[in-house]
Amino acid sequence: MFNADDLKNGFVDDLKNVKNEVQLSEFWKKFFSKQGSIQGLMSGIKNVAKEEKKAYGQFVNDVKTWAQELYDNKKAEIEKAALQARYKKEEVDVTVPPVHEPVGCLHPLTTVKYEMINVFAGMGFEIFEGPEIEDDDHNFTRLNVLKDHPSRDMQDTFWLTDDLLLRTHTSPGQIRVMDKEKPPIKVLVPGKVFRSDSDATHSPMFSQLEGLVVDKHITLCDLQGMLDEFVKNMFSDTAKTRLRPSYFPFTEPSVEVDVSCFRCGGKGCSLCKGTGWIEVLGGGVVNKKVLENCGIDPEKYSGLAFGIGIERITMLKYGINHMGKMFENDIEFLKQFKA
Ligand code: PHE
């Protein structure tokens, strides 16, 4: 004979052992599914005498309500425990100091190169890049550095063959641009250059930024105006330039350009060696012969050109005292340039 107490006791005992959601669903199957014991109670009604059916129905409903309540409580308890376990697992300790992933930064040379290009780009210059391996013609002859001319000795060349060499300056870029384009021309030629030279302020490889402007009525004043703007942007608002006569075969007249010392303001200090001025670049009015060599009529057009050593500007800007530092990839040195 069916015993309600047995069913209830079994239900309570089983429920006690339910510890997680999987067990809970097994339990549900055992008692609440169509084949389950509680559901089974209902089918027992057919064996009950007619007059007792109502009471039996009531009894089954009471059991159901009782069981459902216990089940719901257990379910809530298990869900809460599962949620707590999840919270525990996903707990974040906001007081733990962050782990810093190492992040690199631009090399100071790259930063300064970009800054320099930006200043000139603001004046309307475009970028042109030429080859690092040049021929005699572009690197020397058409720049009016003739064979056997003593000015060839100004630059100690790495020759690759009788005719090919590692470019000693970015000036061959001038020839390449003028061969391709008609005036007005306003270009920058950044790039690596090579000379057999090595000490605290020289390296066999270094970088230059060449500037070339060819148009009607270009004069030395235009050069100084542009360079004034350049030093103000690179060094200080009060920086000025000074032109000194110099010699390059490809410019006439040629100038050496100094910037007023941005450390002492011109009074004289160790950086400017007491002179108040620091030499920063070479330039001049493009030699008529060079224009002619590129098929540009020097009676109609004139030009200006300048070449700036990017390492030199970088060293001045950051107070770096040895050229080697720029190429050693010493992490301790480079870390200092992290923004
Ligand atoms: N090419 C020269 C050098 O490397 C610099 C320069 C460029 C001078 C353009 C005048 C005009 O020293």
Side-chain angles (χ1 to χ4, degrees):
M1 180 52 203
F2 162 73
N3 183 330
D5 284 341
D6 284 352
L7 174 70
K8 282 187 169 181
N9 288 338
F11 184 91
V12 171
D13 284 347
D14 274 14
L15 195 59
K16 255 190 220 149
N17 292 328
V18 171
K19 298 272 185 279
N20 55 43
E21 280 166 329
V22 177
Q23 288 170 355
L24 187 71
S25 107
E26 289 301 313
F27 179 87
W28 185 89
K29 258 191 237 153
K30 185 167 170 187
F31 290 97
F32 293 98
S33 68
K34 274 199 176 126
Q35 295 77 35
S37 327
I38 293 189
Q39 206 58 37
L41 279 180
M42 211 50 201
S43 46
I45 200 161
K46 57 183 179 295
N47 306 322
V48 174
K50 211 176 183 183
E51 56 279 17
E52 282 175 26
K53 278 195 197 300
K54 193 176 168 208
Y56 185 79
Q58 185 62 50
F59 158 73
V60 171
N61 275 339
D62 288 350
V63 173
K64 265 188 169 175
T65 311
W66 170 84
Q68 188 67 47
E69 194 182 325
L70 286 180
Y71 173 83
D72 287 348
N73 288 345
K74 186 73 174 185
K75 187 167 181 248
E77 195 183 293
I78 283 180
E79 280 172 356
K80 193 174 163 200
L83 199 62
Q84 291 302 330
R86 203 185 116 196
Y87 286 162
K88 185 106 197 100
K89 207 171 110 195
E90 293 176 0
E91 196 173 55
V92 175
D93 182 354
V94 291
T95 66
V96 172
V99 179
H100 289 290
E101 292 298 332
V103 180
C105 63
L106 290 180
H107 193 282
L109 269 182
T110 310
T111 308
V112 169
K113 178 171 90 178
Y114 287 169
E115 277 177 29
M116 291 167 66
I117 287 176
N118 261 341
V119 175
F120 287 112
M123 300 179 208
F125 280 79
E126 286 174 60
I127 306 267
F128 171 84
E129 281 180 296
E132 288 172 7
I133 294 178
E134 271 295 2
D135 52 29
D136 183 293
D137 220 34
H138 287 86
N139 195 83
F140 290 128
T141 311
R142 289 173 71 199
L143 282 166
N144 196 37
V145 189
L146 301 177
K147 287 218 163 57
D148 304 323
H149 190 280
S151 65
R152 283 209 179 193
D153 299 338
M154 283 166 74
Q155 303 178 351
D156 297 304
T157 310
F158 288 115
W159 288 95
L160 302 176
T161 68
D162 280 350
D163 185 47
L164 293 178
L165 50 95
L166 295 180
R167 67 177 174 196
T168 58
H169 51 181
T170 40
S171 300
Q174 293 187 29
I175 304 293
R176 293 192 177 270
V177 170
M178 286 190 280
D179 275 351
K180 277 209 322 208
E181 279 169 37
K182 304 230 163 316
I185 290 171
K186 209 169 184 186
V187 287
L188 292 177
V189 188
K192 293 194 180 84
V193 301
F194 307 84
R195 291 181 201 175
S196 174
D197 208 352
S198 185
D199 60 32
T201 52
H202 295 90
S203 151
M205 183 212 73
F206 60 105
S207 5
Q208 287 187 330
L209 182 67
E210 187 90 8
L212 173 72
V213 180
V214 184
D215 205 344
K216 290 181 173 146
H217 316 299
I218 296 293
T219 69
L220 208 55
C221 288
D222 297 305
L223 177 68
Q224 185 158 24
M226 284 177 181
L227 296 178
D228 262 331
E229 192 59 27
F230 170 70
V231 296
K232 279 190 174 55
N233 277 281
M234 289 306 288
F235 297 114
S236 110
D237 286 347
T238 54
K240 290 186 297 232
T241 58
R242 170 176 89 169
L243 307 188
R244 280 181 293 110
S246 183
Y247 173 74
F248 298 103
F250 30 90
T251 45
E252 181 57 37
S254 299
V255 290
E256 211 77 67
V257 181
D258 297 339
V259 60
S260 54
C261 183
F262 42 86
R263 191 195 278 167
C264 66
K267 285 192 219 85
C269 67
S270 61
L271 184 67
C272 58
K273 299 190 185 86
T275 65
W277 294 94
I278 302 168
E279 186 189 322
V280 280
L281 60 106
V285 172
V286 178
N287 193 315
K288 288 185 175 181
K289 288 194 187 134
V290 175
L291 293 178
E292 273 166 9
N293 289 343
C294 299
I296 292 175
D297 182 355
E299 298 309 316
K300 268 202 199 153
Y301 294 103
S302 57
L304 62 84
F306 56 86
I308 315 177
I310 300 176
E311 284 76 6
R312 178 154 174 77
I313 301 292
T314 309
M315 288 166 78
L316 285 171
K317 232 181 122 98
Y318 295 115
I320 301 167
N321 56 7
H322 202 289
M323 187 82 152
K325 290 256 186 298
M326 315 294 284
F327 305 112
E328 281 162 5
N329 284 335
D330 171 357
I331 295 291
E332 290 308 311
F333 169 74
L334 293 174
K335 266 186 193 165
Q336 303 174 76
F337 299 92
K338 225 163 144 175

